[in-house]
Amino acid sequence: MNFNEFVGNEFLKNQFVHMAKSKKIPHSIILQGDAGLGKCTFAKLIAKLIFCENFFDTTCDECSNCKKIDNNVHPDLIFPETSGVLETYNIATVRKIREDAYVLPNDANFKVYVFKDADNMNTSAQNALLKVIEEPPKHVIFIFTCKKSTSFLDTILSRSQVFSLNAVDKSKAVEFIAKKVPELSIEVIKKSVDNFNGNIGKSLEFLKSDGENEAMTVAEGILKALLMPNEFEVLRAVSQIKSDKNFFKQVLNNMLLILRDAMVFNYIAVPETSADLAGQISKKISTKRILKLMNLVNELNDLIFYNVNQNLLTTYLSSSCYSIIFQEN
């Protein structure tokens, strides 16, 4: 794969091609954006720009350096190992990298270190890395991927350039995924892309995990339980959420889609015989309460991002849903 084949983020791609042409790639790069946007892939493509023996407007994908990167065997493209429950970078690892940085490259003219998902790199590890970022060898480039650059110390940020990856146009995302998994229907792919707002990685992960139907079933079960004046049914429905952050987010996203449809039904006539869940919600739950439920779902999505304990979140979901529907005026 070369930069032309990376879907979306055209402005960012052009920036790096221009920097590569002018030989002005920053020595410390932070790529920020949600999980699933291809930050690690983009980091490898940056390494290709730097290593490619025939680079002009894009990489050749044919030279020795390009092929080694594609096969994940290039000795000068280094992915430091993580450790511990949080899969973070400890001081011992950082010190080894700091020493290795002064060793000349093997095959290319540069060495590129890619620290994947560096959000959890602690203060001590960042401080240990600071020295080599302040005065890097000429042949070394560091790339950090993260959700938000605010997870880094100001001293690291001031010596790095931050670039943001964004979700792509939904039609392009659907087209890309359809080529990757042609056995899936376009309607199923569109639904997943809508769920994840054009995030290709998350959409693919969801589709390949065969979790779509299960997550939708759980989401529908929770909302159906809210149509009954029974707290136990709400608790039972919420208990079906797997102990998995991504699955929880999928359930929440599906709930949000159904609730949005219910809001639409508030402005159009819903047939009395309609079996559509969104239609049933619009008839039985007031607009005010639907909006409160949507706000609750958005709040939970934010809390998941900050790694709040999932057991606490599911308890909060069930109690808040019941309170909104059955207790609040």
Side-chain angles (χ1 to χ4, degrees):
M1 175 190 278
N2 58 47
F3 257 39
N4 291 335
E5 296 166 342
F6 188 90
V7 181
N9 290 280
E10 298 301 326
F11 178 76
L12 189 60
K13 290 190 291 186
N14 290 334
Q15 269 187 297
F16 274 97
V17 168
H18 176 74
M19 287 188 290
K21 279 184 175 181
S22 59
K23 300 185 186 300
K24 291 182 178 178
I25 297 280
H27 73 272
S28 181
I29 297 166
I30 295 176
L31 298 176
Q32 68 174 358
D34 288 340
L37 294 181
K39 299 186 294 295
C40 186
T41 300
F42 200 85
K44 287 177 67 175
L45 291 175
I46 293 172
K48 260 193 176 185
L49 291 180
I50 299 166
F51 292 176
C52 180
E53 297 162 26
N54 306 308
F55 167 75
F56 183 65
D57 284 324
T58 189
T59 54
C60 69
D61 289 353
E62 294 296 330
C63 70
S64 173
N65 283 327
C66 282
K67 287 182 177 179
K68 286 178 181 177
I69 290 175
D70 284 338
N71 293 321
N72 299 314
V73 293
H74 203 296
D76 299 318
L77 177 57
I78 301 151
F79 293 85
E81 292 184 358
T82 58
S83 61
V85 177
L86 293 178
E87 296 187 357
T88 189
Y89 301 95
N90 59 36
I91 295 178
T93 297
V94 170
R95 284 174 178 161
K96 287 180 182 177
I97 295 300
R98 195 172 59 190
E99 293 173 6
D100 184 68
Y102 292 95
V103 178
L104 291 174
N106 293 279
D107 295 351
N109 292 324
F110 287 86
K111 294 173 84 169
V112 175
Y113 297 90
V114 179
F115 289 81
K116 298 190 297 181
D117 302 322
D119 304 78
N120 290 329
M121 186 182 288
N122 61 40
T123 301
S124 298
Q126 289 189 49
N127 280 325
L129 195 59
L130 181 59
K131 179 66 175 177
V132 73
I133 291 179
E134 285 179 324
E135 300 174 6
K138 292 181 179 179
H139 60 266
V140 167
I141 291 173
F142 294 102
I143 303 177
F144 304 89
T145 73
C146 62
K147 292 187 178 75
K148 291 185 178 181
S149 59
T150 51
S151 58
F152 290 95
L153 297 174
D154 289 341
T155 47
I156 298 285
L157 287 173
S158 65
R159 291 161 177 82
S160 308
Q161 288 194 37
V162 180
F163 302 91
S164 299
L165 270 76
N166 299 302
V168 306
D169 178 82
K170 290 182 181 180
S171 62
K172 290 183 179 179
V174 170
E175 182 181 355
F176 178 84
I177 293 172
K179 290 178 182 178
K180 283 280 187 183
V181 279
E183 66 274 14
L184 294 176
S185 73
I186 293 296
E187 287 307 312
V188 168
I189 294 171
K190 282 182 178 178
K191 189 175 181 181
S192 179
V193 169
D194 281 338
N195 266 352
F196 295 102
N197 296 313
N199 186 313
I200 290 176
K202 287 184 178 180
S203 298
L204 274 171
E205 181 183 3
F206 185 47
L207 291 166
K208 289 180 179 179
S209 70
D210 197 28
E212 178 185 12
N213 292 334
E214 188 175 1
M216 180 57 78
T217 298
V218 174
E220 289 176 343
I222 294 169
L223 293 173
K224 285 176 181 177
L226 296 179
L227 300 177
M228 310 175 206
N230 188 321
E231 186 175 8
F232 173 76
E233 288 300 322
V234 177
L235 288 169
R236 188 183 65 80
V238 170
S239 71
Q240 300 305 306
I241 297 175
K242 289 181 181 178
S243 182
D244 176 274
K245 183 169 69 173
N246 289 328
F247 185 81
F248 195 2
K249 285 183 69 69
Q250 291 160 11
V251 170
L252 293 173
N253 287 333
N254 284 328
M255 288 178 65
L256 197 58
L257 287 174
I258 296 169
L259 291 169
R260 283 174 179 166
D261 288 344
M263 288 294 292
V264 172
F265 277 126
N266 279 329
Y267 300 98
I268 63 175
V270 182
E272 289 298 320
T273 57
S274 174
D276 188 280
L277 178 57
Q280 296 298 313
I281 291 171
S282 71
K283 288 190 290 186
K284 295 186 178 181
I285 300 177
S286 69
T287 300
K288 178 182 176 182
R289 286 190 166 95
I290 293 174
L291 283 171
K292 285 186 175 182
L293 289 171
M294 292 173 70
N295 288 335
L296 171 64
V297 170
N298 286 325
E299 180 187 358
L300 284 162
N301 263 319
D302 289 341
L303 292 172
I304 288 175
F305 176 81
Y306 289 108
N307 291 318
V308 176
N309 181 278
Q310 187 167 318
N311 289 331
L312 293 176
L313 293 182
T314 51
T315 300
Y316 181 57
L317 172 61
S318 57
S319 61
S320 297
C321 281
Y322 186 81
S323 174
I324 290 170
I325 299 301
F326 305 119
Q327 295 178 355
E328 292 185 4
N329 294 323

